[in-house]
Amino acid sequence: GMFPFFLRLLLGLASQDGTETADTTETVDTAETLDTTDTDIIGSDTGTSGSGTSDTDPVYSQSLEMTANENGSMSIIRPVLLGKDSDAEKGTWTIFVYMCGADLESEYAAASYDIMEMKKAATSDRIRFVVMTGGSEKWHYGFGTPGKTSIAVITDSKYTMLDYEGTESMGSADTLSGFLTWGVQEYPAEHMAVILWDHGGGSISGICFDEIFFNDSLSLAELDSAFFALSPYLSKKLDFIGLDACIMSTFETAAILSSYADYMIGSQEVEYTGGWDYSALAEHILSSDADGASCAKTICDSFYDDTAYDGKTSTAAMAAIDLSKTDALIFSFNSMMNDVIVNTEDPEDFRSVVKKMRESDNFGGNNDISGYTNMIDLGGVIEACDGYSERCGAVLDNLFDCVYYSSTGELHGNSSGLSVYFPLKISSPSELMIFEGITPSPYYLVFLDRYCRSSHGEETAGYDTSVAFTNRKWNWGETGGYSKWSYINDYIVTGSSPYITFKKAPHLDEKGNFTFTLDEEGMSYTSGIYASVLQYIEEEDDIVSIGETYDVGGDDETGEYWDYFDGTWLSLPDGQNLCLHIFGMSDEGIYYISPVELNNAFTYLIIHQGWDDDYAVIEGTWNGLTDFGAVNPEGNELSDGDLITPLYEAQNLNTDEEYNYVGETYVYRKGEKISYMPLAEGTYYYMFTIEDIYGDYFESDFVVYEIDEDGTIWYDEY
């Protein structure tokens, strides 16, 4: 059954006059209360009707059934919408906003600013935002209720708090389903849409992390459950479901939401703190004959325009998905993966596909410093299969049909609009268990199991494809549990990957060049090569990392690689070298993140260098992934007078203690460039890191370079 607060609203116990809150609240009448003798609220988790006794109680149709046989055939049956046709006035809109404030509100007031946008632009009773707030310990400017859930209605430029305070977790499917099933009955309109607002973590971690309830989040399975509970109250699909959160435009999410909406709008990449432009959305609805498609385009375009204003366009990757095209993509993708499994019996062919998948665009960081979302571009996965299935072109066509519209910046200019889970870092059986229950493709699941098993040295030829099937049949939503994937616990990141093998091991040649040559098998397992540089601080007997660089020369045909160490490094204008970690690459340049204290608070600077530039620029900040799997949004551009204090990972050679070495505080001036400057006189350690296709890596020994006061480089030893 439903929670008491929704029953209170349906019984007419909600305030009919609204509640005045600070200066932001106006008084309006809420919609007429429903007669509970004609309707009852139904539980969302069991798929069975609630305990109401009315003869008119809606009955659940069959939930999403996605089945496949081991012979490759597949079927999808989606739930039927059983609601009565609405007699709502033409041209009216209700947008339900499920706003889990979390630290985005308690620390940055980001939710409150978006509510202000809604209030300012919703100037007519043709549009109504019905907002459930919660999940935050603090709310600003009189919006929301600290530590509790509450509901407000925004229309005619008025913000009205209903007489309700709840204690539910925003990370619960029951809370979402209760809000929506109550809302669509209380505030029907010709056009209805839902927006989920908060942190996102991709297909595995989900969305809406409630900081009151230990960062409880809505998993994709819970989203399905919550929206399924809504289906008896809808006579047609929602115009759109929006995900105003980081990295939620995923294949797995689209497969689920296709049952409930015409369009899905979400970001493949980290969103910046400002999020969506709700003023632009409301103004579009009030100034045109809007529908789901036009709203989706407006959200994408206005988000991009806002990122341009704040200097954040490079990482933008917002997409609108035509959910009516999702099933065709699912069918063709699964058939393609079946072909790939059959045609990669040769381990070298299999490694070739894996290597190309790992080279696909990825989102949300995916490195040891910021953490792993394991979300990569679906288009890249499909292209990696080219040559092993004749269907690849058709699958790409289905993908392009599915992605109705997108707005992307430089870093993700070639992204497709949808991401898919791929374990770039094989770390946890629980991730694969979650993925098993939400993937729309059993043969992709089989491919990932084969990939994870081959990381343990298991033979990939003659692989048993029945892993995803029970009695030769696969059913969506079922999982074999933790034990099925427990073998992943045996996977160890060694730092000396046995798969990286050499014709000539790393060495200093007679000219002082640090070089190596991979053998043929080592080349087939290699997924990336970069170099790391550390500085020796003699006074403290410390080793201090100044980071990573792709300045490595090489020939991918012969497997020969060499260093490009020239004694310079990207540095602040005062000469302090920044600690750089590789964040991503595009056709135009490379992105780094650099740990700093900005105005005494820890963050990462996002730094972009064009391939043809001898300088870089600071584009903003990012806080990486949270401990609970959410992705933090990007911050805005830096401002004049901001205080930057560089941080460096360090280790004391006497005690082995690891700590942050703290640089000098620098006062930033807007528009300043980060230039290459000579490294200070001293001793430097340089090594190669060669990544394998499983997320392990090989670290070479260090070569020691001495830099004189005039910048001359001498190799000291190896």
Side-chain angles (χ1 to χ4, degrees), residues 113-146:
Y113 286 126
D114 280 348
I115 291 174
M116 290 179 188
E117 288 181 358
M118 298 174 202
K119 181 174 178 288
K120 180 180 179 181
T123 57
S124 163
D125 60 5
R126 282 184 51 217
I127 183 172
R128 181 190 293 115
F129 290 98
V130 180
V131 185
M132 183 174 189
T133 56
S136 182
E137 295 174 349
K138 179 179 180 182
W139 285 86
H140 299 259
Y141 309 113
F143 300 120
T145 305

Side-chain angles (χ1 to χ4, degrees), residues 416-459:
S416 67
L418 281 174
S419 306
V420 67
Y421 173 76
F422 183 93
L424 293 166
K425 191 76 163 185
I426 302 171
S427 58
S428 169
S430 62
E431 277 198 10
L432 273 297
M433 183 183 71
I434 292 169
F435 182 69
E436 183 185 4
I438 59 173
T439 179
S441 169
Y443 277 107
Y444 183 62
L445 179 67
V446 167
F447 183 89
L448 293 189
D449 180 69
R450 181 178 172 188
Y451 164 68
C452 293
R453 289 184 183 278
S454 64
S455 72
H456 289 61
E458 292 188 25
E459 182 58 58

Side-chain angles (χ1 to χ4, degrees), residues 411-699:
L411 180 58
H412 301 297
N414 296 320
S415 64
S416 67
L418 281 174
S419 306
V420 67
Y421 173 76
F422 183 93
L424 293 166
K425 191 76 163 185
I426 302 171
S427 58
S428 169
S430 62
E431 277 198 10
L432 273 297
M433 183 183 71
I434 292 169
F435 182 69
E436 183 185 4
I438 59 173
T439 179
S441 169
Y443 277 107
Y444 183 62
L445 179 67
V446 167
F447 183 89
L448 293 189
D449 180 69
R450 181 178 172 188
Y451 164 68
C452 293
R453 289 184 183 278
S454 64
S455 72
H456 289 61
E458 292 188 25
E459 182 58 58
T460 56
Y463 171 82
D464 181 6
T465 61
S466 66
V467 62
F469 301 88
T470 302
N471 297 324
R472 305 185 66 81
K473 187 176 181 181
W474 170 82
N475 292 285
W476 183 82
E478 293 184 359
T479 173
Y482 186 91
S483 60
K484 179 175 182 177
W485 301 97
S486 60
Y487 71 87
I488 291 174
N489 282 324
D490 297 331
Y491 177 73
I492 299 173
V493 176
T494 65
S496 56
S497 169
Y499 300 109
I500 304 302
T501 50
F502 301 93
K503 187 182 296 183
K504 291 183 180 179
H507 64 283
L508 274 170
D509 65 17
E510 63 278 2
K511 296 180 180 179
N513 298 314
F514 195 25
T515 182
F516 65 89
T517 305
L518 293 165
D519 62 23
E520 197 167 319
E521 185 159 330
M523 290 171 65
S524 74
Y525 279 104
T526 297
S527 66
I529 300 171
Y530 60 89
S532 298
V533 180
L534 300 92
Q535 183 177 4
Y536 176 59
I537 308 297
E538 186 173 4
E539 294 80 6
E540 287 88 10
D541 203 21
D542 288 338
I543 292 288
V544 178
S545 171
I546 59 172
E548 304 161 354
T549 176
Y550 272 146
D551 285 340
V552 176
D555 185 334
D556 293 335
E557 296 296 323
T558 65
E560 183 179 4
Y561 299 88
W562 55 88
D563 77 89
Y564 271 154
F565 185 64
D566 64 357
T568 64
W569 204 257
L570 286 174
S571 308
L572 291 171
D574 66 354
Q576 290 187 92
N577 311 129
L578 290 167
C579 181
L580 304 174
H581 297 282
I582 296 165
F583 185 70
M585 290 189 296
S586 71
D587 292 340
E588 303 299 323
I590 185 169
Y591 287 79
Y592 298 98
I593 55 174
S594 180
V596 299
E597 286 184 357
L598 181 66
N599 302 322
N600 300 315
F602 177 83
T603 190
Y604 295 101
L605 300 179
I606 299 177
I607 299 170
H608 175 228
Q609 181 192 5
W611 291 122
D612 297 327
D613 297 332
D614 58 1
Y615 63 89
V617 294
I618 299 174
E619 293 203 344
T621 62
W622 184 47
N623 288 341
L625 274 66
T626 66
D627 292 339
F628 46 87
V631 180
N632 280 303
E634 288 187 60
N636 295 326
E637 283 187 295
L638 272 62
S639 303
D640 273 338
D642 280 343
L643 303 179
I644 299 174
T645 306
L647 301 175
Y648 312 84
E649 295 89 5
Q651 183 174 11
N652 184 270
L653 295 182
N654 288 323
T655 64
D656 289 333
E657 177 190 1
E658 296 180 358
Y659 67 99
N660 274 334
Y661 188 92
V662 181
E664 300 293 326
T665 298
Y666 174 76
V667 181
Y668 175 78
R669 297 300 171 202
K670 192 172 178 64
E672 285 181 330
K673 296 176 180 177
I674 307 300
S675 303
Y676 279 95
M677 294 187 181
L679 292 166
E681 179 183 6
T683 301
Y684 293 84
Y685 296 83
Y686 181 103
M687 74 172 183
F688 293 115
T689 299
I690 308 167
E691 298 175 322
D692 73 20
I693 60 174
Y694 304 119
D696 198 359
Y697 58 93
F698 173 90
E699 284 184 340

Side-chain angles (χ1 to χ4, degrees), residues 77 347 357 552:
I77 302 174
M357 286 184 180
V552 176

Side-chain angles (χ1 to χ4, degrees), residues 276-299:
W276 293 4
D277 185 343
Y278 290 90
S279 293
L281 174 60
E283 289 165 2
H284 166 71
I285 288 172
L286 291 176
S287 64
S288 66
D289 186 16
D291 59 12
S294 65
C295 287
K297 183 177 183 299
T298 297
I299 290 169

